[in-house]
Amino acid sequence: MNASGDSKPLPKALSLLSSERPRNVSWFQAGALLFGDWGTSRLYVLGLAFLVAGRSSFWLIAGMSLLILAVGWAYTQICRIYADGGGVYTAGRQRSAIVGVIGALLLFADYTVTASLSAVEGFHYFGAGKADTEQVQAAEPPAGDDIRRQDETLSGAREPLIGPGETALAKLWASPGLLGILAIVLIGGLNLLGPKHSAGFALFAAVGMIVITLLIVVFALPQIDWRHLQWGRLWQAPDRVWYGFVYIVLALSGVEAIANLTGVMKRPVYKTAQRSIWLCAIEVAVFNLLLALIMISLDPGREAHKEDMLAYMARQYIGPWGEWPVRILGGLLLLSATNTAIGALTGTIYVMSRDDELPRVFQGLNPFGAPWLATFVATVVPVSVLLFVHDLTTLASMYAIGVVGAVAINCSLTTFHPRLRKWYRKAAMAGLGLLLIAIWLTLAFTKWHATAFVAIVLTIGLTLRGLTKYAQTRRPKPSLLRQAIIEQLPADAMARPKLLLATAGSDSAAGPALRAAKAEGAALVVSFVREVALNYKVTAETQLSLETDSAAQALFTDFLEHGYKAGVPIIPAYDTSENAPEQIAELAAMYGVDKVLIGSSRRGAIHQFIKGNFQKRLEAMLPPEIPVKVLQMDGKA
């Protein structure tokens, strides 16, 4: 509201900066978004596990369940530390811009393959390509219990997109890859109609997956012959066990999505994230183990049902009336995951463009408010993947290398965050980071197609970033924050009287400071001085500035919005110093202010002593004609 009590629209740049979403995502909604990824992964992870290990796949699933619980714990800490968005892009940028970009590109690779794999698997569950699966089942040897290496010959012949001698409809239905391409194109087109809210899709996916799982578990467990159940062999060659474990580590990417949601979660963020993560992690760990038991009791064959294992289990223990609901729901859930992945790809491209890490052309919006070029790229890239690769085993390994790399970077960076505090948390986070790095290196050295795919994504992404930075040096453009500052400054702003507000990183003094400036017809200089230690290591990437300090950017955005609505020009002043009072005094002299304002409160005696000491030091450095005025937080100046 402005001074007259009437609301007025914000200028364009300031509107973009201050358009933060409300914190209205509950633990239940956040859990649905996480479960939509973690939970639906069992539609293909179980079949891949049996492909790799036969009956011994139970032990691999048990290991994966433990990893999910460990990653779940890690991300409860990450969500606590990064309460305004804790994805790998955000966490990485706080350390180094290039690390954040690499993390985002790894997620880009993950979302790309998620869209491709989910679309293909969705049509496998609908029954497409079923004839090829039955031929494999008839030709394959009986399954053993050893964990064996899966190379390109073992993964099965990839079905051609078009087979000879078939009708057009038969050719189409025989090719899940081609159907997946058509589905991605259609979903991408729908995303051009405007921004989509994923909570409804996620809730549908979560409820549907729980229904499928309970349906199979309730019918199957009483029918298992527990006395003659063959558990496979736990103790095998370590390299085979490790390879098999690495091969099925797929269900982790959703945890990055929930880390990005912390900026819209209901407070306290830690409790909201903790409840949603633990609920999903425990469900996934427990029910994946139960489904693995049901799977090894059937011994379906290594390759026969790697694409539709849950549907096969439903047919065996429930019958056709149970199989088709699983196929229909499973296919719809996977297509919903495709839609979510395309939306995440679009968001990744758009946000990196907003941060000047990619060309600004990706920010262009169509008449429906959707970033049209970002959506186009988010559609074309998964389609391009399916033109070259459309079998489950290859897509799965390409999927894992992206998500594991992103989660490994986030966990490794968080190990050194001061808010992790306890030594045992640091040790656990470091151990998990090392484990994930080992998994990533194994994938990189054993899955050449996955390594090549990630290398292509990183090369193209970093090249675009380099070109963007080069263009910025040739024709520099002001950042969105600087545009917002310029927009709200009237022509006579610097000629007006000026008051300087010394903030402590909070806008709690905004109300009384703006009223004081309004009463005197003055502009308000808002200072943010970042105190740095003497031994602070400064490099080109870590040097703090208004462009890299996210806390300062958030503070100035709040003040710009408050000032515009109150009709008071805001002049942000940012600097770093080992001595905050000295730097504030320098800013006061540089801007020629008439008065320095500092906040006060009704806190305890120790706080008041420290505050009083700060005031005395500041007054000693200021000339007598510039007084220091204490603002009361209750609105009385």
Side-chain angles (χ1 to χ4, degrees), residues 17-51:
L17 275 176
S18 60
S19 59
E20 296 182 0
R21 294 171 291 175
R23 289 187 173 272
N24 56 6
V25 175
S26 67
W27 70 269
F28 182 78
Q29 293 168 311
L33 289 165
L34 174 58
F35 189 79
D37 194 298
W38 272 9
T40 54
S41 65
R42 64 181 55 139
L43 288 165
Y44 45 85
V45 167
L46 291 169
L48 289 172
F50 203 88
L51 171 69

Side-chain angles (χ1 to χ4, degrees), residues 45-125:
V45 167
L46 291 169
L48 289 172
F50 203 88
L51 171 69
V52 175
R55 296 186 185 92
S56 299
S57 58
F58 173 81
W59 305 108
L60 295 185
I61 296 294
M64 189 186 72
S65 296
L66 291 176
L67 179 63
I68 286 175
L69 292 173
V71 170
W73 167 82
Y75 272 76
T76 62
Q77 302 301 315
I78 289 171
C79 290
R80 174 179 64 84
I81 292 170
Y82 301 102
D84 293 315
V88 64
Y89 179 60
T90 302
R93 279 177 64 84
Q94 291 194 8
R95 294 284 178 150
S96 167
I98 191 66
V99 173
V101 170
I102 290 173
L105 292 174
L106 287 172
L107 276 185
F108 183 93
D110 166 41
Y111 294 141
T112 297
V113 184
T114 297
S116 304
L117 184 150
S118 298
V120 170
E121 268 295 271
F123 286 101
H124 276 134
Y125 269 85

Side-chain angles (χ1 to χ4, degrees), residues 138-329:
E140 71 169 5
D145 294 335
D146 290 337
I147 297 175
R148 59 185 184 181
R149 288 187 175 272
Q150 303 297 317
D151 54 24
E152 295 305 316
T153 60
L154 184 60
S155 65
R158 301 171 188 169
E159 73 273 12
L161 289 181
I162 297 293
E166 300 178 79
T167 65
L169 184 59
K171 289 176 182 179
L172 182 63
W173 191 250
S175 176
L178 183 55
L179 289 168
I181 289 174
L182 295 176
I184 291 172
V185 171
L186 177 61
I187 291 171
L190 292 175
N191 275 269
L192 284 173
L193 297 178
K196 305 293 181 183
H197 297 286
S198 58
F201 284 106
L203 186 59
F204 165 74
V207 173
M209 196 66 245
I210 291 172
V211 169
I212 289 175
T213 302
L214 289 177
L215 185 68
I216 296 173
V217 169
V218 168
F219 276 87
L221 287 181
Q223 301 182 54
I224 294 177
D225 184 0
W226 296 98
R227 289 187 178 182
H228 300 94
L229 183 64
Q230 298 184 37
W231 298 81
R233 291 188 295 172
L234 174 60
W235 304 111
Q236 301 188 39
D239 63 324
R240 291 187 176 185
V241 175
W242 173 253
Y243 186 89
F245 174 69
V246 166
Y247 196 86
I248 67 167
V249 177
L250 302 176
L252 298 178
S253 64
V255 79
E256 268 295 308
I258 201 172
N260 280 309
L261 278 176
T262 55
V264 294
M265 285 183 185
K266 291 183 177 179
R267 298 185 186 275
V269 171
Y270 173 62
K271 289 186 178 180
T272 301
Q274 186 181 51
R275 292 178 69 183
S276 58
I277 289 174
W278 280 125
L279 181 67
C280 294
I282 292 172
E283 193 281 343
V284 171
V286 171
F287 279 95
N288 278 5
L289 280 177
L290 292 176
L291 291 170
L293 280 173
I294 297 169
M295 180 176 65
I296 65 174
S297 71
L298 289 173
D299 190 10
R302 294 270 187 168
E303 296 187 44
H305 294 283
K306 65 180 184 292
E307 294 97 352
D308 59 354
M309 182 61 72
L310 284 187
Y312 170 76
M313 292 160 63
R315 184 173 75 224
Q316 295 300 310
Y317 279 113
I318 306 173
W321 72 268
E323 176 188 2
W324 283 107
V326 171
R327 286 193 177 278
I328 294 171
L329 279 175

Side-chain angles (χ1 to χ4, degrees), residues 51 72 90 99 132 148 171 194 260 275 288 303 315 360 362 365 457 466 486 530 567 577 606 614 622 637:
L51 171 69
T90 302
V99 173
D132 294 339
R148 59 185 184 181
K171 289 176 182 179
N260 280 309
R275 292 178 69 183
N288 278 5
E303 296 187 44
R315 184 173 75 224
R360 291 191 176 187
F362 289 113
L365 303 179
V457 171
I486 295 170
R530 175 72 75 181
S577 176
I606 295 179
F614 175 87
L622 288 169

